[in-house]
Structures are given as structure tokens and as C-alpha cells.
Amino acid sequence: MEIPVMVGAGLVVIGVGMGIGRIGGSAMEAIARQPEAYGKIQTAMLIAAALIEGIGFAALFAVN
């Protein structure tokens, strides 16, 4: 594996981690504001996190 590939893979992983972390934090803030909307917020959070993770996997395969 070459150095640019390893750097690219690392950047992909960092970006995905930051994206999912931001989604989780925002979801917790939204649930704190509106506890009655817990189910809808959780569902939207999980779908968004899955999409980000899928894009991350695609980017890892593209880097390789």
C-alpha cells in the first residue's frame, strides 16, 4: 500500500467519524428539546448515519 492511499483512507475514516459524531450530538440536543419526538429523531439519525457510513465504505474502495 502506498503512502497517498493510506493518507486518503485515514482522511475518509476521520471524516466519517466526525460526520456520525455530529449527527449523534445533534440528535441528542434535539431529543433534549423535544422528548416526545424521540422515535422520529432516532430513526432519522440512524438512516443518516447509515448513509454516511455507506459513502465512507464506497470512498475506501475508491481510494484502494
Side-chain angles (χ1 to χ4, degrees):
M1 212 184 234
E2 296 180 25
I3 299 289
V5 173
M6 289 187 273
V7 170
L11 290 173
V12 167
V13 171
I14 289 170
V16 168
M18 289 174 61
I20 292 175
R22 185 171 291 205
I23 288 173
S26 297
M28 291 300 112
E29 289 177 10
I31 291 169
R33 280 191 226 117
Q34 289 185 317
E36 67 276 0
Y38 172 78
K40 289 183 179 182
I41 295 169
Q42 183 183 21
T43 302
M45 176 189 69
L46 289 174
I47 291 170
L51 289 172
I52 288 176
E53 195 167 337
I55 291 170
F57 281 133
L60 282 176
F61 287 121
V63 167
N64 215 356

